[in-house]
Amino acid sequence: MTTSPASDELEVTVFGPGYGECLVLHLGGGEWAVVDSCVEPGSRDSVAIGYLESRGVDVRTAVKRIIVSHWHDDHVRGLAGLVARAQDAVVCVSAAFRSSEFMDAFVRADEAGARGEATRVNELGRVFDIVAERQTGPRKSRGPSAVLAQRCLYRRPQDEARPAVELTALSPSDGTFSVAARELGRIVQGRRPASFAPNDTAVVLHLKVGAYAALLGSDLEVGTDERRGWLGVLALDPPVEAAAIYKVAHHGSSTGEHARIWSDLLVPAADAIVTPFELGRVRLPTGPDLERLSAAAGRLWLTSPARPARLRRFPSAVERTMREVAREAVAIPTRRGRVTVRMGPHGVMREVDGEAMEILPKAG
Ligand SMILES: [Zn+2]
């Protein structure tokens, strides 16, 4: 990147090295937000830190919001370190927790605290600890902020130097919140929680900077319940303003696809950016996914290429074990991949880095 965005420009940068996703958003006026976190190979630091610092941004003061879209391993690596660094950022998390996340964040962390242990069970517990410590320390901060659909997470009015900005959540819905609460009730009763997938709680965001808007789909899927998932987003009233940049939901999977995302939430010929997900035999997006997306988008970008299948073949027993331990498995991102799309009164700028690429529609 040769230049930084101007004060009146919306910029969306998506990192997706093959396993992991991180979005860095310019909110105009030199203010930034980060959604989720992933790390480079051999590093423990969030890609957002290195990227912003290479652009001359002071992470401690210029990052105003850190949004954790959901607590899936591919979206939270390096997150606690980022939260520790970005002292002025309010951390925003889905108001709907899965039971396992709730246990990690509040129960195990409390038990560890009672035992005087400094280390925490996981990224989620560490993030909550950092935020809690700040509330009593010299730099008091609010948060974590609970996110529900239609809640505004950041707003700045227009002034002489800067455009207006509005960062609004489109999910999780009230319906998702009540399902999550019911799950916690089952846990309290000592019953097994009903199946509630990690992606169900995902936070979809709508960012508007001046006249330009982006839709950031996290890993939200469509499902069948019209009060939840993308059906819940599409039912929002009032509807949101159509966006020109789309971070495609759930790594381009068909389960995150709905025709009305394109017709109702996006302008015609929007720029769409996909991050791959590769773990064991699971590989997204598939070839058909890319065909479908390139037909729907104005321009389609993939943050890193699909790995050839033969490199990922393991003996079946190993594969089975990998699937069983998938939540804890250490998948190593192997390629850098970044796509940046910038929009403002001066036009549109697009840039790819590393092995990121544009996917062209099939001829004819
Ligand atoms: Zn994901």
Side-chain angles (χ1 to χ4, degrees):
M1 179 83 52
T2 47
T3 58
S4 289
S7 182
D8 54 0
E9 287 180 314
L10 161 68
E11 186 183 277
V12 175
T13 292
V14 181
F15 291 90
Y19 180 86
E21 182 175 298
C22 178
L23 279 52
V24 178
L25 312 173
H26 182 238
L27 306 175
E31 297 185 329
W32 299 79
V34 179
V35 184
D36 297 338
S37 179
C38 62
V39 298
E40 292 282 5
S43 168
R44 298 172 73 176
D45 286 339
S46 171
V47 292
I49 295 175
Y51 177 69
L52 285 167
E53 286 181 346
S54 75
R55 308 280 301 274
V57 175
D58 185 350
V59 172
R60 290 172 306 151
T61 57
V63 177
K64 298 301 176 191
R65 294 291 181 274
I66 296 172
I67 298 103
V68 190
S69 82
H70 64 305
W71 297 98
H72 230 183
D73 184 62
D74 61 318
H75 293 253
V76 300
R77 294 210 166 158
L79 187 69
L82 173 66
V83 169
R85 184 78 68 95
Q87 296 177 352
D88 280 358
V90 175
V91 177
C92 305
V93 304
S94 178
F97 285 90
R98 297 171 72 220
S99 51
S100 57
E101 295 158 357
F102 183 83
M103 294 295 284
D104 285 350
F106 303 109
V107 181
R108 288 184 217 162
D110 274 0
E111 285 171 359
R115 290 194 299 271
E117 293 171 9
T119 53
R120 290 297 181 248
V121 284
N122 62 10
E123 211 76 33
L124 173 56
R126 284 201 295 277
V127 167
F128 275 70
D129 279 354
I130 293 165
V131 173
E133 278 160 23
R134 274 194 199 142
Q135 284 160 353
T136 54
R139 296 183 70 94
K140 280 193 183 172
S141 71
R142 293 169 294 133
S145 216
V147 180
L148 274 174
Q150 293 180 308
R151 180 159 190 190
C152 180
L153 305 183
Y154 191 64
R155 178 182 281 129
R156 187 188 63 220
Q158 184 182 352
D159 59 31
E160 279 165 23
R162 304 178 299 181
V165 62
E166 220 167 277
L167 178 62
T168 308
L170 305 184
S171 70
S173 63
D174 291 335
T176 303
F177 176 76
S178 53
V179 170
R182 215 176 307 136
E183 277 226 341
L184 294 179
R186 290 177 69 92
I187 294 283
V188 170
Q189 294 167 337
R191 295 156 70 195
R192 256 178 81 87
S195 164
F196 190 48
N199 297 336
D200 288 356
T201 62
V203 173
V204 169
L205 295 166
H206 185 270
L207 171 63
K208 191 163 181 226
V209 176
Y212 308 91
L215 175 69
L216 311 168
S218 183
D219 276 2
L220 195 68
E221 298 182 81
V222 176
T224 53
D225 184 339
E226 60 194 33
R227 300 167 313 143
R228 295 164 48 195
W230 278 106
L231 300 178
V233 173
L234 290 162
L236 287 178
D237 184 25
V240 297
E241 188 177 319
I245 302 172
Y246 177 37
K247 200 298 289 178
V248 176
H250 197 225
H251 312 287
S253 133
S254 59
T255 60
E257 173 68 32
H258 195 290
R260 284 186 54 214
I261 295 175
W262 300 92
S263 62
D264 295 15
L265 305 179
L266 298 168
V267 302
D271 276 67
I273 308 166
V274 187
T275 61
F277 178 90
E278 296 167 4
L279 186 66
R281 280 210 304 200
V282 180
R283 202 171 301 124
L284 294 171
T286 64
D289 291 334
L290 287 177
E291 275 180 41
R292 185 193 72 240
L293 292 166
S294 67
R299 296 181 75 172
L300 178 66
W301 308 89
L302 183 64
T303 54
S304 57
R307 194 174 311 183
R310 59 191 161 76
L311 296 181
R312 299 292 292 173
R313 203 162 283 157
F314 298 91
S316 61
V318 175
E319 255 177 29
R320 199 162 49 238
T321 308
M322 282 181 68
R323 275 201 301 278
E324 283 163 4
V325 301
R327 193 163 174 269
E328 281 81 27
V330 177
I332 314 255
T334 54
R335 301 164 304 263
R336 277 153 46 86
R338 170 177 69 82
V339 177
T340 297
V341 179
R342 185 190 291 174
M343 289 186 181
H346 328 288
V348 183
M349 189 282 300
R350 304 171 174 96
E351 187 177 78
V352 295
D353 186 31
E355 294 188 73
M357 62 175 81
E358 180 168 11
I359 305 292
L360 299 170
K362 272 193 172 168

